[in-house]
Amino acid sequence: MVDTATLLAAYDEQMRMAHGTVPSGMTYQYDGPILRIVGAHVGRIRTPRDVGVRGVELDRLITRQRDYFQARGQGVEWKLAAHDLPAELPERLVAAGFEPEQPSTVLLGHAEEVAADPVLPGGVVLRQVSEAEDLRRFADHQTEVIGTDCSWVAADLGARVAAAPGLITILVAEAGDRVVCTAIATYYPGTDFVALLGGATLPEWQGRGLYRAMIGARAREAVARGFRLLHVDASPASAPILRRCGFHEITTSTHYQWTPPQ
């Protein structure tokens, strides 16, 4: 029997706030209990499980973040887990103009149980990348799969590589000159965790084991680096694959987005 309560406690303790080297061009600012991440294409808010304030004081904390990024002419996202406190936080975010996106399933896996040699379809090559042109192709692939403009991803990844190249692995699976699947692993020294993100596969290549191969390859690297746990905020399409690979659901997370008026 998997002890999901222990996994959730590890997640809350180690993965709620940003860790490690700050990416180039970004700053981390604290406002009381929350972390404000500045310098990306949108602002980001990360919090402990309990932000520790209620009522009017909570409203003030929320509006300070909104107004800070409005002054910068940027939007801001506030990441909220289903078990976060206070319980009134979602309604207070909505009252301040934040809109919830579809929830993601937060899944954790034991790296040693998930690690595997990647099994790729014929003609597909898996490659680790970091050069600007490859990062642009990575971003173009994300735009094609997701259906929204992800051009900002190239600069974001470039900033992370420039700041700490050893703390990120960026993978592309290519068929000839076509990127057919992408994935990222970010490492958090001083914790048990590696975060798996950026997994995306072209529709015509789905169902052929590429996403699963990316999971196994990143888990194998996590084990080699001495990390014990894997974390994914999974979409509805990815969650079933991750469960079959041995991941366990611990909660859900929702990004509440505020966009500046036009």
Side-chain angles (χ1 to χ4, degrees), residues 35-177:
L35 172 64
R36 186 163 59 208
I37 301 174
V38 183
H41 75 296
V42 297
R44 297 188 175 97
I45 303 298
R46 298 294 181 261
T47 75
R49 183 195 174 195
D50 188 344
V51 297
V53 294
R54 307 289 189 270
V56 173
E57 193 174 351
L58 177 58
D59 289 335
R60 289 173 179 158
L61 180 68
I62 294 168
T63 55
R64 278 202 305 274
Q65 313 322 311
R66 181 197 66 195
D67 294 349
Y68 177 91
F69 286 102
Q70 182 173 18
R72 291 175 57 88
Q74 285 187 299
V76 56
E77 66 170 33
W78 187 304
K79 186 177 181 180
L80 183 70
H83 64 298
D84 280 358
L85 296 172
E88 63 188 300
L89 183 51
E91 64 187 72
R92 301 258 179 194
L93 285 167
V94 170
F98 287 75
E99 297 184 359
E101 296 186 335
Q102 286 296 113
S104 299
T105 303
V106 180
L107 295 148
L108 301 187
H110 292 91
E112 287 190 348
E113 297 176 4
V114 178
D117 293 332
V119 178
L120 300 167
V124 174
V125 175
L126 185 61
R127 189 163 62 93
Q128 182 174 341
V129 300
S130 60
E131 297 299 323
E133 176 58 21
D134 285 321
L135 300 184
R136 183 194 63 76
R137 294 175 67 232
F138 185 109
D140 289 346
H141 168 85
Q142 296 265 309
T143 296
E144 184 175 359
V145 174
I146 297 170
T148 59
D149 181 13
C150 295
S151 57
W152 61 270
V153 169
D156 183 76
L157 292 177
R160 295 178 185 278
V161 170
L167 298 185
I168 186 168
T169 296
I170 306 166
L171 297 176
V172 297
E174 297 167 309
D177 61 357

